[in-house]
Amino acid sequence: HVQLVESGGGSVQAGGSLNLSCATSGIAFTTCAMAWYRQTPGKERELVSSISRNGATSYADSVKGRFTISRDSAKNTLFLQMNSLKTEDTAVYYCASQCPWEGRWVNYWGQGTQVTVS
């Protein structure tokens, strides 16, 4: 049974920081690429940041220099450190994994965690 469970969201003032976590189970974490997405009402879900199995990272231009993605294979957990938060960072943040399974890639999603910046 695959589970991706986000935590760490909440309300913060502009300029503040939050650290999101995504605890995973039921996947071979070290074989999966991981990512954070976000979505606001009426808009499509957008990719915020990703990290490959080997630790290579990428970021949306809007968060470069402010957000840091990381993964802890010992804990099967993905993180997103968010600094210098802006009101436009307000969204539901989702953890996602892309894992190999029987010759194809399978995507899994968490339930999301709300981040509100005021």
Side-chain angles (χ1 to χ4, degrees), residues 29 32-36 47-59 68-72 77-79 96-98:
F29 185 77
C32 302
M34 302 296 297
W36 289 98
L47 177 63
V48 175
S49 181
S50 65
I51 184 167
S52 73
R53 294 176 292 178
N54 298 323
T57 59
S58 66
Y59 298 91
T68 303
I69 191 170
S70 62
R71 60 192 297 164
D72 185 335
T77 301
L78 177 72
F79 301 97
S97 66
Q98 186 178 63

Side-chain angles (χ1 to χ4, degrees), residues 82-98:
M82 305 187 295
N83 298 328
S84 302
L85 282 161
K86 303 177 181 180
T87 55
E88 51 262 45
D89 295 318
T90 296
V92 177
Y93 284 71
Y94 296 91
C95 170
S97 66
Q98 186 178 63

Side-chain angles (χ1 to χ4, degrees), residues 8 10 12-13 15 18 31 40 44 50 53 58-59 66 68-70 81 92 105 107 112-113 115:
V12 65
Q13 290 190 335
L18 286 172
T31 72
T40 54
E44 291 189 358
S50 65
R53 294 176 292 178
S58 66
Y59 298 91
R66 300 188 297 120
T68 303
I69 191 170
S70 62
Q81 176 66 44
V92 177
W105 294 98
N107 297 320
T113 186
V115 171

